[in-house]
Amino acid sequence: MSDPKNPTRAKDGRDKPKESAHRIEGGIDAVVIGAGADGLAAAAYLGKGGLRTVLVGAGPEIGGRIAKREIASGVEGVDGEHLVTALDPDVIAELDLYRHGLEFAARRLDTTYFFEGGDVLRFDGDLAQAALLSLDHDDDREALEIFMSEVLDMAALLRPAFRPFAFPGGGNHQRVLEKAMAGATPEAAARLRRFCLSNADDIIHGRFGDGPLRALLLAETAFRSAAAPNEPFSFLSLLRRYSGEAAGLQGAAAYPKGGAVSVITALRRAAQSAKVDVRAATPVKSILIEGDRVGGVTLADGGQLRAPIIVAAIDAEQAYLTMIGAGMIDIGLERILTARRPEIASARMQIVLKGVAQDDATRRNMMRRLVYAPSPEALAKAFNEARAGRVPQSLVVEAVFPTALDEGAALDKRQVVSVMAHPLPFDAEPDAERREAIRSAILDNIEMFAAGFSGRIEADDLRLAADEAAAAKASPAAYAARPDILRQWALSSAVTGSGDITGFYFCGPEAQIGAGLSCAAGRAAARAALHAYRKGAA
Amino acid sequence: MNGSFDFLVIGDDEASLAAAGAAAKTGARVAVQRPFERKKRSPAASPAVPNFVWRRLDLQDYDLTLEPVSARVTLLKEGGAVTSYASARETAAALESAESEDYLVWRDFLDEMAALCEDGYLTDALYKGEAPGAKRFAALLSDPLLLDKAARLFGPCADLLDDYFTDPRLKAHVAAHALSLAGAGPREAGSASALSEYIEADAWRVRTPKEGPSLRAVLERICQDAGVDFTAEKVVEIEPVSGKHLTVTFANDASIKVKHVFFATPDAAAAAGASGPGAMMNGLGYAGHAVFSMRFRLAEGVEPPGGDLKALYEIIDSAEDLQNARDAAVEGRLYEQLPVEFEFAPNGELIARSSYLPAAFYEDGEWRGWTGQDRQAAAAVMRERLSSRMPGFASYIRRFETEVAAPPAGPSPFAGCNRVIVQPRRHDAISAAVKLMDRVMAGDE
Amino acid sequence: MIFPAEDFFADAPRPTPLYAAVASASEANLWTAVNGWTAARVYSSVSGEYETAKSAAALADLGPLARYAVRGKEAAEFLGRLTTAPALSLQVGESARGLMLNDQGYVIDLAEVSRLSDDLFLLTAPTPHARHIALGRRGLDVVAEDISGQVAALGVFGPQTAGVLAAAGLKSASETLAASGVLRGVETAARPVQFGAMPGVELIFPKEEALTIWERIIRRGAGAPIGLDALEILRLEAGGPRPGLDFTPAGKPGASPRTPEEIGLAHLAPLDRGWFNGRRALRHLAGKPRRRLISLSIDAEQSAPGAAVLQDGKPVGRITSCAWSPVRKRVIAFADVDAASHGNDYEISAAGAPEGRIPAKRLETAESGLARVFAGVQGTSTDFRR
């Protein structure tokens, strides 16, 4: 059986004999449920903090929705994310992820934007530069520079607010926030206050009129968010987008060597070096609540793990309604969890291309992040369509070429392009017809900026929110696009409040503000758990 | 008109005049610019006069009679009307007799909506158009309870209603009456705030009887008594001087110095050219739509379904209509199943309105403003909608006129002035306008 | 069960199922509205009705109170969550009092739960809570039906309660055990209820039979009706706080929320037994009351709600409700006072009294006795009899 002191033995859950049935296992300080990025990060923190920690994942693989998979014969792709934009720099430093093998193949991806009319704009990877290769008016360049520096300032001010935090313990968070905001200049603070409620389109339109810059910024605002850029609070989505940090640069995008899955690998190594007992294929049936504190978990096979700390890195519906049970959580928390109604989701598609042109321009573009930004009108319409449950005609498309970015990973005369498209209708159980409609909509949109693209497709693989959820054994709603930031804040603070159950900490997808691979929720949960553990021990 | 003022109020609707009068009575120097041409006509129902405004203006001295609108009625496509009343008990009883299970939670709904906007700093954010300062902002983000309230108050109206009610007809009714004023869609973020606003007593509309003086006339007299200056000249130029004043020049070359320009409704702002892209509104505004209204002089014998001439009516086919219409307005299209609000004015005219029309039309990849043809098309849709609920309606029409309040396409004389205050379209417009002006005055001190 | 505050501004109240019966018994014809239902303030005389309750059996129309039939496999879990009453440990026939708390641990309302069979419970509360119940039931296999208005409910209080029960054909019922039976074809149920801390029995029967049963009881001379005003005296003597008057239920507009401890009902929400909604939050609040609702007996002929309560010459709170007690020959009252106030001696400000003040003493009631015993058991200090 597993020995918490020797985590290497239990590395692969599938090899474990099934003799734990009806066994009660003690001597554990913390159980982390869920083997996604946040679960791994939380477990690594707990292990580093000296707690005997067991990480249990439901699926056979570690990594949750981010995993390597064969997408066509002989071609491996990475599910979940294709870039890193919001990975918490503190997690990288504190868990020493570079030492555990994390390496960026591209630290500062330039972005090329394509527009409906055939216009093209290139953005420097460092947004503060706002260096554009082609812009008709110098006025626009100046306006953009001013705007970007304002936005980056505001985003930096709000950065602590975009970090999830574990309640109770909000008092500390309040001080951090106050301090961060008090450091702002009065103008910046006033601007931020004025813009908080606003819709992004009003502000951007006021600054840039009707040009491509408006389309570009609206596309960035709308990307992966369920809040349309003409809705209130949507400006916050843009601030959230640009508050992230990739490889030390605010608002940038980076590509880790080997894809996003290498972040998982590094996290896993960090967890193992912190002596975390990682067990895959160990589904949890319920969380035991004794009095008002956690007692441990019951496994699907009937065994029990007793521990005074449980960290749930799974979706809130499973954690609260299934594992703890509706009858044991406060009515208000249950209302918040059951009142959610996701409407919009992003889709991921990985496409194997053959015979890609080898000219310089194409090769340069393959080393960049490519974004197709539909016109503001088309984007507004797309949100309306997606919300009404129809597949929109125009989509924001983000594309990268992992095979080009990963030096030496290029396949023989073939390339993989990884695409994320937004906004699409959310389906808990998409049928074949819906899949086909989404697939052809995405391909049509790629065709808008890469004519002749469809002719080179050798194979393609579409991944919807429901597929990701199935891979992570989560409820699909947890992988839909998140609503406006205000509602994300509310949901995050409700779920991280843990229903006031002593010893229970939550860092599932609902805890995170904004999209992308972050680990900030796992860090916050683990730190809160460690704090309480040490206080209890003292 | 010359000199220096604290406020230039543009518009002469009830909310503008009440705000001007209340400010003048507390010693502010106020000028009111009213539309150049004003037709004498029977006014539509206005928001109620809240008690504090009544006291401020001493309305008891002006021989004013206000009659509350008898009911809010929604005429859905099928299954007859849904009605709610000013009294919660009456509404619950009406719902019970219509066999709607939700009659049990109606009072809970009203209570909770009222409690939602009790927290000062949520409503401040809503009314002032500004998020709270650093300390309070930090406090908001650190208080799960308050965040939950904020998320509900500023979330989509449909989510909140779905969480409360089971009867789709009641949901459609509530959404129609709460949202049609501002032309919002029930699935849009922020639309739930209309719910807490529309259930307020100050949001229940009132009329003045045909015989007595109209509320507008009384408010105008109060303004005059309080020393408010009136002008009907058009504003041609507006320019900031120092950080604290604006110079406003009128068509007759008169010019005045003012501290603030105040619009009590976005309609007034649109008419004056002060809205449109980039214009900041105080609070959650739903830009991107026009208000289209029609007035019908009718032959004898037209009756709304149910026959109540004193009610306020909404025509929608279903709750989805509201979102579809809003989507169409955003996309620059005219929506066929247009939500229409109508009422009978004291002189028997029928006034119909809809806020679900596009501010401009999007055709062949281009935006263009309203044309005569668009007006005709909108009028045809509106007539069609009225006929669908009142069979033979078209044959009763003796005369009608149309009016569009759309933000102008051209450059606005108010562009770039940050001392221009525009209040969003609100159910309790009088109460909100007076409060907003008070706050601006307090900020000046 | 305690009546909530009257709704003074309610438009025409609806007649309760017993209205026709009680209206014929009313000589004073003095009515008020509670929860939108009719309620008699006085039938003949307040002192007479009070005497009846003390020496014979008083009959109160409990129709205005909210009443729910709760059915389903998880009915006990649901009630255990919704209220602090120990629904899971109730035997068939038993009743228990409790509170409804919101998630933050503040009191929404009082509640009373009776188990009529394995999976059928009756929930009564002073005011209706359709929304809270609808939310609390999510995720649980249970149906809660609002039956107020469908059944007639008659509360019986006083030493001769047994006689009334016999008249209604329910001899086996008592103040501690529910029973149901059929008398000449009419289905009737009786269940123990508590009027504050005062025990009694509630008779429930189909509203179509309201007049028949009422006639049967009255004709036997088994009891006399009691109105709200006399009940108010009994309530104050028993020490039960009245929602909407002595505290504003949490969640209502303008409420300043109160914990069970702050309204003197900590014994109804014990933290060491079953889970209920708001318990985890209450744990943080327990032992830290900001206010305290206390019973006072005032050495005066009259006083009024709103009067200031002083201690050591400083204002510490105000009277929330009061009535003349014919037994004590004093005014007894509830006062909401600062938790820092202590001891048993207070003063009430009053015009015309010497120095404008009347002495008042803390009063031990049945309810405060329970609270005191509970606090003793819990080991937290109380300033009673200090």
Side-chain angles (χ1 to χ4, degrees):
Chain A
M1 257 315 293
S2 67
D3 171 5
K5 296 238 166 77
N6 180 10
T8 45
R9 260 214 64 198
K11 209 164 165 184
D12 194 340
R14 281 171 296 189
D15 295 338
K16 237 168 36 147
K18 287 267 176 196
E19 63 188 46
S20 71
H22 310 295
R23 245 192 75 140
I24 298 178
E25 217 175 310
I28 304 167
D29 293 323
V31 174
V32 180
I33 310 170
D38 279 298
L40 284 165
Y45 271 101
L46 293 171
K48 255 184 91 147
L51 270 61
R52 275 155 301 173
T53 306
V54 177
L55 173 77
V56 289
E61 302 289 341
I62 296 295
R65 69 194 182 100
I66 299 173
K68 226 178 227 174
R69 186 168 55 89
E70 190 172 53
I71 52 169
S73 76
V75 184
E76 279 204 323
V78 175
D79 283 334
E81 301 281 340
H82 54 209
L83 288 175
V84 169
T85 54
L87 183 57
D88 192 332
D90 289 341
V91 173
I92 299 181
E94 287 160 6
L95 295 182
D96 226 349
L97 292 188
Y98 289 128
R99 197 167 60 80
H100 290 296
L102 176 66
E103 197 183 323
F104 285 107
R107 303 181 71 91
R108 203 178 89 167
L109 286 178
D110 291 353
T111 305
T112 305
Y113 291 94
F114 300 90
F115 302 95
E116 255 177 30
D119 289 339
V120 178
L121 272 182
R122 206 190 97 197
F123 242 62
D124 195 287
D126 183 354
L127 295 169
Q129 300 279 329
L132 302 168
L133 286 189
S134 55
L135 203 56
D136 291 344
H137 302 291
D138 277 347
D139 291 358
D140 280 352
R141 188 192 307 262
E142 204 175 308
L144 182 67
E145 249 166 54
I146 296 171
F147 180 72
M148 284 318 289
S149 82
E150 281 177 14
V151 165
L152 289 176
D153 278 355
M154 281 188 272
L157 273 183
L158 276 182
R159 186 181 293 175
F162 293 138
R163 276 192 144 153
F165 37 95
F167 288 104
N172 183 35
H173 185 77
Q174 187 170 346
R175 277 194 298 279
V176 171
L177 273 172
E178 265 177 42
K179 223 175 116 193
M181 311 259 304
T185 62
E187 298 84 53
R191 197 180 303 126
L192 180 61
R193 286 214 303 277
R194 214 167 52 239
F195 287 0
C196 264
L197 297 167
S198 303
N199 74 57
D201 198 14
D202 266 0
I203 293 169
I204 293 166
H205 200 183
R207 298 287 187 104
F208 301 107
D210 250 336
L213 286 176
R214 176 175 168 220
L216 178 165
L217 289 166
L218 291 185
E220 289 287 4
T221 305
F223 192 55
R224 300 185 76 177
S225 166
N230 54 5
E231 276 184 67
F233 316 111
S234 53
F235 192 70
L236 280 171
S237 309
L238 187 69
L239 295 183
R240 167 65 189 84
R241 167 74 187 79
Y242 285 146
S243 74
E245 193 178 300
L249 200 61
Q250 192 190 345
Y255 181 79
K257 202 167 179 178
V261 76
S262 70
V263 178
I264 299 290
T265 314
L267 283 168
R268 185 180 179 165
R269 286 195 189 129
Q272 279 167 348
S273 83
K275 303 205 164 36
V276 173
D277 178 358
V278 180
R279 304 182 191 174
T282 313
V284 170
K285 201 174 113 207
S286 63
I287 295 167
L288 300 165
I289 308 289
E290 289 157 5
D292 287 324
R293 49 168 44 253
V294 291
V297 297
T298 313
L299 302 174
D301 65 9
Q304 249 187 44
L305 302 177
R306 312 267 326 160
I309 294 173
I310 307 291
V311 177
I314 47 175
D315 67 273
E317 209 179 306
Q318 270 193 72
Y320 287 109
L321 302 184
T322 313
M323 290 183 187
I324 292 179
M328 285 300 285
I329 60 168
D330 278 329
I331 289 172
L333 177 59
E334 195 189 357
R335 178 184 56 71
I336 291 170
L337 293 177
T338 50
R340 285 185 298 161
R341 198 171 296 265
E343 295 171 316
I344 288 175
S346 306
R348 181 89 190 298
M349 197 155 152
Q350 298 184 76
I351 306 163
V352 183
L353 297 176
K354 57 188 176 198
V356 178
Q358 291 295 311
D359 59 289
D360 281 356
T362 309
R363 223 166 341 168
R364 268 204 303 276
N365 267 340
M366 281 164 62
M367 302 301 284
R368 288 183 191 142
R369 169 176 174 257
L370 310 181
V371 173
Y372 174 64
S375 71
E377 290 78 20
L379 187 60
K381 192 168 176 176
F383 270 94
N384 294 345
E385 295 279 320
R387 193 153 30 200
R390 296 185 294 265
V391 178
Q393 221 173 18
S394 293
L395 298 168
V396 179
V397 176
E398 179 188 71
V400 291
F401 287 81
T403 42
L405 290 166
D406 260 329
E407 269 177 73
L411 303 157
D412 195 26
K413 284 182 192 155
R414 291 188 297 183
Q415 291 285 357
V416 174
V417 59
S418 168
V419 163
M420 206 171 291
H422 189 86
L424 289 157
F426 167 78
D427 304 287
E429 289 164 1
D431 56 14
E433 200 180 324
R434 177 49 71 84
R435 282 176 189 280
E436 185 46 40
I438 290 175
R439 179 180 171 274
S440 63
I442 294 175
L443 293 179
D444 287 351
N445 275 277
I446 300 177
E447 194 71 28
M448 292 288 284
F449 65 94
F453 170 88
S454 308
R456 299 211 167 80
I457 299 175
E458 185 182 297
D460 61 72
D461 177 86
L462 180 71
R463 198 99 169 134
L464 301 180
D467 306 324
E468 290 197 341
K473 299 225 184 308
S475 72
Y479 291 97
R482 314 289 307 280
D484 57 77
I485 298 286
L486 183 73
R487 273 187 285 161
Q488 289 192 45
W489 272 330
L491 181 59
S492 170
S493 75
V495 293
T496 54
S498 304
D500 237 336
I501 301 166
T502 311
F504 183 70
Y505 301 89
F506 181 86
C507 59
E510 289 86 350
Q512 187 177 330
I513 315 284
L517 173 56
S518 157
C519 295
R523 173 178 182 263
R527 280 162 58 104
L530 282 169
H531 182 73
Y533 181 81
R534 289 189 185 127
K535 225 168 99 184
Chain B
M1 185 166 64
N2 276 303
S4 138
F5 293 88
D6 291 308
F7 290 98
L8 170 63
V9 176
I10 300 185
D12 71 340
D13 54 289
E14 291 85 356
S16 302
L17 293 173
K25 281 212 163 209
T26 48
R29 290 151 303 161
V30 185
V32 172
Q33 192 256 351
R34 61 176 164 219
F36 188 61
E37 276 176 73
R38 206 175 69 200
K39 289 167 194 154
K40 249 190 124 74
R41 46 173 42 160
S42 191
S46 82
V49 181
N51 296 341
F52 80 95
V53 175
W54 188 283
R55 293 195 296 267
R56 282 270 286 276
L57 302 178
D58 283 323
L59 280 171
Q60 71 278 4
D61 300 341
Y62 289 85
D63 186 27
L64 180 68
T65 319
L66 293 177
E67 279 178 357
V69 164
S70 64
R72 288 168 171 156
V73 184
T74 303
L75 306 172
L76 295 163
K77 193 171 186 182
E78 277 147 21
V82 191
T83 310
S84 61
Y85 301 93
S87 142
R89 191 181 157 269
E90 224 178 313
T91 307
L95 291 172
E96 190 181 2
S97 60
E99 288 179 4
S100 169
E101 267 179 48
D102 294 327
Y103 78 94
L104 290 166
V105 290
W106 180 253
R107 194 183 283 268
D108 288 326
F109 173 71
L110 298 183
D111 277 353
E112 199 177 325
M113 291 304 109
L116 266 188
C117 62
E118 246 189 343
D119 268 294
Y121 59 56
L122 297 185
T123 44
D124 272 5
L126 190 65
Y127 298 156
K128 280 193 202 168
E130 277 196 1
K135 240 191 153 87
R136 311 194 80 186
F137 191 63
L140 167 74
L141 289 183
S142 312
D143 184 346
L145 197 64
L146 204 57
L147 267 177
D148 176 45
K149 271 188 167 185
R152 272 188 289 163
L153 187 61
F154 297 150
C157 165
D159 282 7
L160 220 159
L161 292 178
D162 285 347
D163 197 45
Y164 248 100
F165 301 121
T166 50
D167 178 4
R169 294 165 47 79
L170 177 63
K171 287 193 256 187
H173 169 68
V174 172
H177 280 271
L179 302 179
S180 66
L181 185 78
R187 306 222 62 91
E188 254 177 319
S191 54
S193 63
L195 292 176
S196 65
E197 197 186 298
Y198 116 104
I199 58 129
E200 298 253 338
D202 300 344
W204 194 267
R205 290 190 220 174
V206 293
R207 286 195 194 97
T208 42
K210 202 174 160 190
E211 303 79 45
S214 73
L215 177 58
R216 191 193 294 219
V218 166
L219 290 171
E220 205 172 306
R221 238 170 64 216
I222 289 172
C223 283
Q224 273 154 354
D225 293 352
V228 172
D229 280 324
F230 281 87
T231 178
E233 293 293 333
K234 259 199 156 75
V235 175
V236 287
E237 205 187 347
I238 185 156
E239 232 181 330
V241 257
S242 73
K244 297 214 161 152
H245 287 94
L246 300 165
T247 305
V248 181
T249 313
F250 294 97
N252 62 353
D253 279 343
S255 91
I256 57 169
K257 235 167 83 174
V258 298
K259 280 191 189 158
H260 303 277
V261 174
F262 186 90
F263 293 101
T265 64
D267 302 319
S275 63
M280 293 301 275
M281 228 185 281
N282 289 70
L284 297 176
Y286 290 91
H289 68 99
V291 183
F292 183 75
S293 42
M294 292 179 85
R295 244 167 211 277
F296 297 92
R297 159 99 20 224
L298 301 166
E300 288 284 312
V302 179
E303 271 205 350
D308 185 353
L309 290 169
K310 295 193 165 172
L312 183 69
Y313 293 89
E314 297 283 345
I315 300 176
I316 55 167
D317 287 356
S318 69
E320 286 76 50
D321 254 0
L322 295 166
Q323 187 61 50
N324 292 343
R326 168 68 181 154
D327 288 353
V330 168
E331 291 166 19
R333 297 183 278 119
L334 177 64
Y335 184 62
E336 289 291 325
Q337 279 90 47
L338 193 69
V340 172
E341 179 184 283
F342 73 91
E343 61 177 301
F344 289 88
N347 69 353
E349 283 181 343
L350 185 147
I351 306 172
R353 272 182 303 269
S354 179
S355 302
Y356 290 93
L357 288 112
F361 290 86
Y362 191 68
E363 253 178 24
D364 307 324
E366 294 283 340
W367 287 100
R368 60 163 178 81
W370 278 72
T371 64
Q373 276 171 345
D374 295 325
R375 274 171 179 259
Q376 277 175 17
V381 165
M382 200 170 256
R383 271 205 311 270
E384 180 52 42
R385 297 295 281 164
L386 289 165
S387 305
S388 73
R389 300 302 191 270
M390 290 177 279
F393 175 75
S395 63
Y396 287 98
I397 302 174
R398 291 290 164 267
R399 209 172 58 230
F400 72 88
E401 50 188 284
T402 62
E403 196 180 315
V404 186
S412 136
F414 298 89
C417 293
N418 59 1
R419 302 187 76 78
V420 176
I421 300 151
V422 182
Q423 175 166 279
R425 196 166 282 116
R426 291 190 51 139
H427 286 281
D428 51 350
I430 294 184
S431 159
V434 174
K435 282 184 192 160
L436 180 58
M437 204 151 209
D438 283 349
R439 217 164 15 227
V440 175
M441 283 194 285
D444 280 348
E445 275 156 21
Chain C
M1 276 328 304
I2 282 179
F3 280 81
E6 299 157 51
D7 6 328
F8 287 108
F9 298 104
D11 25 28
R14 296 204 270 182
T16 61
L18 266 178
Y19 176 76
V22 295
S24 68
S26 173
E27 292 163 21
N29 239 340
L30 202 54
W31 300 87
T32 183
V34 171
N35 292 336
W37 299 95
T38 53
R41 291 188 59 125
V42 185
Y43 287 92
S44 49
S45 81
V46 177
S47 54
E49 290 162 25
Y50 172 84
E51 264 319 301
T52 310
K54 288 276 177 187
S55 59
L59 309 172
D61 176 8
L62 300 184
L65 303 176
R67 218 169 290 277
Y68 301 87
V70 180
R71 287 187 180 80
K73 271 208 304 268
E74 289 177 297
E77 283 84 353
F78 162 68
L79 288 167
R81 176 193 205 187
L82 192 79
T83 74
T84 62
L88 278 159
S89 53
L90 281 185
Q91 300 297 313
V92 173
E94 282 183 340
S95 288
R97 287 196 297 153
L99 299 169
M100 274 190 229
L101 305 185
N102 68 4
D103 295 5
Q104 288 72 45
Y106 294 113
V107 180
I108 297 176
D109 210 347
L110 315 171
E112 191 151 354
V113 173
S114 308
R115 187 167 210 155
L116 300 182
S117 73
D118 273 342
D119 55 1
L120 172 64
F121 288 79
L122 196 68
L123 167 70
T124 354
T127 50
H129 293 281
R131 169 68 174 168
H132 195 58
I133 287 171
L135 284 176
R137 180 175 100 72
R138 281 192 192 168
L140 296 173
D141 180 9
V142 61
V143 179
E145 188 195 353
D146 188 333
I147 55 165
S148 347
Q150 291 172 29
V151 293
L154 188 65
V156 191
F157 307 99
Q160 288 171 21
T161 299
V164 177
L165 294 176
L170 288 161
K171 268 195 186 129
S172 60
S174 73
E175 276 106 330
T176 50
L177 209 62
S180 56
V182 179
L183 181 67
R184 283 183 215 134
V186 180
E187 236 182 280
T188 340
R191 62 170 194 130
V193 287
Q194 301 232 316
F195 191 75
M198 183 173 69
V201 175
E202 181 186 56
L203 290 172
I204 303 164
F205 34 89
K207 69 172 174 189
E208 294 74 21
E209 307 299 337
L211 268 174
T212 325
I213 305 259
W214 174 267
E215 281 295 311
R216 197 174 292 159
I217 293 167
I218 294 292
R219 228 179 304 127
R220 287 230 199 154
I226 185 167
L228 236 50
D229 287 3
L231 282 170
E232 182 70 356
I233 306 173
L234 294 170
R235 172 187 79 86
L236 282 160
E237 284 180 347
R242 189 165 170 188
L245 206 59
D246 297 314
F247 67 97
T248 313
K252 296 283 172 202
S256 52
R258 294 280 186 265
T259 64
E261 199 177 352
E262 287 169 343
I263 58 169
L265 297 177
H267 52 291
L268 293 185
L271 289 168
D272 54 351
R273 267 163 258 165
W275 145 254
F276 50 80
N277 192 60
R279 190 178 83 174
R280 291 176 195 129
L282 188 60
R283 191 174 285 278
H284 300 298
L285 298 169
K288 289 176 265 182
R290 303 152 302 163
R291 308 288 300 176
R292 194 163 286 169
L293 192 66
I294 55 171
S295 290
L296 290 177
S297 91
I298 304 170
D299 294 347
E301 303 285 317
Q302 59 184 32
S303 185
V309 178
L310 304 116
Q311 190 169 53
D312 304 331
K314 289 191 203 84
V316 291
R318 59 176 192 89
I319 302 278
T320 52
S321 62
C322 62
W324 171 254
S325 164
V327 181
R328 295 176 182 273
K329 306 290 182 226
R330 284 183 181 88
V331 170
I332 49 170
F334 262 119
D336 182 54
V337 297
D338 197 322
S341 69
H342 53 87
N344 296 330
D345 297 316
Y346 291 84
E347 287 173 316
I348 311 298
S349 76
E355 292 178 37
R357 285 171 206 171
I358 319 164
K361 263 204 167 16
R362 220 163 145 184
L363 172 72
E364 171 93 309
T365 60
E367 196 76 80
S368 70
L370 292 172
R372 189 163 54 80
V373 170
F374 177 78
V377 169
Q378 296 280 303
T380 48
S381 72
T382 170
D383 57 14
F384 239 99
R385 318 252 175 244
R386 190 183 285 169

